[in-house]
């Protein structure tokens, strides 16, 4: 019995030496400590309409937090700068005193979404999944 256990133990030891004995490469230390290593992205929200138009505006910032601006005079714009690889862009507006209203989301100078409507108490929204 002792001889069988010794031979079995030796066989297992040899098999482990053949299979799985190679050293796997390690990637420790290959990651950068800079969490914001991407270039800044400039996302611009625009709301536009006839001169003198007053609108209520809602938008989402780079952290995903909603903001509301009541009684903004158009044209209205805000620029958000982020180093995140992407950002969800969302803006909506409704007029108080005009029948035309438009919105636009631009990322690094490229128009991602733009809409315009001609309705009584116009309402418009722009949405971009990845700005």
């Amino acid at each position: 019995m002792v001889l069988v256990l010794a031979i079995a133990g030796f066989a297992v030891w040899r098999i482990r030496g053949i299979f799985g004995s190679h050293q796997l490469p390690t990637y420790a230390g290959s990651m950068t400590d800079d969490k914001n290593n991407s270039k800044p992205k400039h996302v611009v929200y625009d709301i536009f309409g006839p001169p003198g138009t007053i609108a209520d505006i809602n938008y989402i910032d780079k952290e995903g937090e909603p903001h509301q601006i009541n009684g903004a005079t158009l044209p209205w714009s805000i620029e958000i700068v982020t180093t995140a690889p992407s950002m969800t862009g969302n803006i909506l507006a409704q007029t108080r005193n005009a029948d035309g209203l438009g919105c636009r989301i631009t990322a690094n100078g490229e128009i991602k979404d733009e809409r315009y409507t001609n309705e009584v108490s116009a309402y418009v929204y722009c949405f971009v999944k990845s700005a």
Side-chain angles (χ1 to χ4, degrees):
M1 183 70 151
V2 174
L3 183 61
V4 171
L5 287 175
I7 292 173
F10 180 75
V12 168
W13 177 73
R14 288 296 296 156
I15 290 174
R16 282 190 179 172
I18 295 170
F19 300 107
S21 65
H22 58 282
Q23 189 71 9
L24 294 175
T26 179
Y27 299 104
S30 64
M31 298 298 291
T32 178
D33 289 335
D34 183 13
K35 293 186 184 0
N36 296 324
N37 57 1
S38 61
K39 294 189 302 187
K41 183 175 293 200
H42 298 267
V43 178
V44 178
Y45 293 148
D46 293 309
I47 299 293
F48 51 91
T53 300
I54 305 254
D56 296 330
I57 301 169
N58 294 289
Y59 69 93
I60 294 181
D61 66 11
K62 65 182 176 183
E63 305 296 328
E65 296 295 322
H67 296 273
Q68 182 174 15
I69 299 170
N70 293 317
T73 303
L74 303 186
W76 177 91
S77 180
I78 188 169
E79 180 178 16
I80 299 171
V81 179
T82 180
T83 55
S86 69
M87 173 184 145
T88 299
N90 187 10
I91 187 165
L92 57 97
Q94 184 169 15
T95 64
R96 292 185 181 182
N97 64 343
D99 296 336
L101 185 63
C103 67
R104 181 183 309 116
I105 299 176
T106 309
N108 290 337
E110 179 184 343
I111 296 174
K112 296 292 189 173
D113 192 13
E114 183 173 17
R115 297 171 195 231
Y116 191 84
T117 184
N118 285 311
E119 298 175 7
V120 176
S121 295
Y123 169 84
V124 69
Y125 73 94
C126 288
F127 178 74
V128 177
K129 290 182 181 179
S130 181

